[in-house]
Amino acid sequence: MKQTLVAKRYAKALFDLASEMNIIKEVAIDMQLVKDVCLENRELRALLGNPCVKPGKKVNILRVLFAEKIQELSAKFLDIIIRKSRAAIIQVIADEFGNLFLDYQEILPVQVKTAIPLDDQTRNHLLELLNRKLEKNIQLHESVDAEIIGGLVLHVDDLRLDASLRYKLSSLRQEMKDSLVV
C-alpha cells in the first residue's frame, strides 16, 4: 500500500514535468517500455530490488539497457528514482504513469471475463453500452474463463460486476441453504 502511494507521487511528478515539456506521449511510451522490460526480466527486478547493489551500478545498467531508446527526461527520472532508493518500485511507478496517461486521454480500461470468447456483435454492443454509461472511451481487455459457466464479470477501476452464471448459482445455493435452516 505504501509503495503504491509513493509510486503514484513519483508518477504524478513525472507526468507534470512531461506535460510542461509537452512530451507526455513520448514519456508514456518510455514508461511502458520500462514496465515491459521489468515484467519480462526477473533478474533485472531482483537486481533493482537488491539493496546490496550500489545505486551507481543500477544507474549504469539502466543507462546501457535503455540507451537511446527513451527520452532524456525518462532517463534522468530513472536515475533520480535509483538515487532516492526507490529502484525496487520502478515497475509500479511506470504502471502508475500509464494509468495517469490513460486518464489524461479519457480512456477507461475495463476487464471483461467471459466463459467463451466474445463475438464482434456482442463486443460492439458491450462497448457501446459501457461508453454510454461511463461517458468515457473504453479500452476493453478480454479474457476467457470457462469456470464462470456463462455471463460475464466486469472490472472497472475498483468496481467488480459479477453477472456470471457461476455467481448466480452460488447465490441461489446459499439462499436455499439459508431458507432450509430456519
Side-chain angles (χ1 to χ4, degrees), residues 130-172:
L130 290 170
N131 282 329
R132 197 170 348 114
K133 291 287 185 190
L134 301 173
E135 297 177 353
K136 287 206 175 194
N137 297 318
I138 302 300
Q139 184 180 58
L140 202 61
H141 301 280
E142 301 175 35
S143 62
V144 176
D145 181 2
E147 290 184 14
I148 67 170
I149 304 170
L152 55 84
V153 179
L154 285 175
H155 289 273
V156 181
D157 286 331
D158 293 335
L159 178 70
R160 178 181 176 187
L161 172 69
D162 194 338
S164 67
L165 190 53
R166 175 183 175 182
Y167 175 76
K168 289 180 182 180
L169 288 171
S170 175
S171 296
L172 183 60

Side-chain angles (χ1 to χ4, degrees), residues 15 21 42 49 53 55 106 108 115 124 146 154 163 168:
F15 187 85
M21 297 175 70
R42 187 168 39 109
V53 178
E106 295 185 356
L108 183 64
N124 292 337
L154 285 175
K168 289 180 182 180

Side-chain angles (χ1 to χ4, degrees), residues 46-65:
L47 176 119
L48 291 173
N50 189 338
C52 296
V53 178
K54 299 209 182 291
K57 185 169 184 159
K58 292 177 185 180
V59 166
N60 289 337
I61 289 170
L62 289 183
R63 282 184 185 162
V64 168
L65 192 59

Side-chain angles (χ1 to χ4, degrees), residues 36-176:
D36 290 344
V37 168
C38 287
L39 280 172
E40 292 172 7
N41 195 326
R42 187 168 39 109
E43 292 83 14
L44 178 63
R45 287 193 313 269
L47 176 119
L48 291 173
N50 189 338
C52 296
V53 178
K54 299 209 182 291
K57 185 169 184 159
K58 292 177 185 180
V59 166
N60 289 337
I61 289 170
L62 289 183
R63 282 184 185 162
V64 168
L65 192 59
F66 295 114
E68 299 178 22
K69 295 177 184 163
I70 62 175
Q71 299 289 314
E72 183 180 349
L73 174 64
S74 300
K76 287 180 179 179
F77 178 76
L78 293 176
D79 291 354
I80 291 169
I81 294 298
I82 291 169
R83 282 195 213 109
K84 295 288 184 180
S85 301
R86 302 293 186 191
I89 62 168
I90 284 177
Q91 179 182 333
V92 181
I93 294 169
D95 191 41
E96 289 298 330
F97 187 92
N99 292 338
L100 289 170
F101 184 67
L102 287 175
D103 193 47
Y104 169 76
Q105 291 187 308
E106 295 185 356
I107 296 174
L108 183 64
V110 175
Q111 285 79 30
V112 62
K113 188 185 303 183
T114 56
I116 59 172
L118 292 174
D119 59 46
D120 289 338
Q121 181 182 1
T122 306
R123 181 181 303 108
N124 292 337
H125 180 69
L126 181 61
L127 277 170
E128 181 183 312
L129 180 69
L130 290 170
N131 282 329
R132 197 170 348 114
K133 291 287 185 190
L134 301 173
E135 297 177 353
K136 287 206 175 194
N137 297 318
I138 302 300
Q139 184 180 58
L140 202 61
H141 301 280
E142 301 175 35
S143 62
V144 176
D145 181 2
E147 290 184 14
I148 67 170
I149 304 170
L152 55 84
V153 179
L154 285 175
H155 289 273
V156 181
D157 286 331
D158 293 335
L159 178 70
R160 178 181 176 187
L161 172 69
D162 194 338
S164 67
L165 190 53
R166 175 183 175 182
Y167 175 76
K168 289 180 182 180
L169 288 171
S170 175
S171 296
L172 183 60
R173 183 179 305 118
Q174 188 60 44
E175 231 178 88
M176 291 175 74

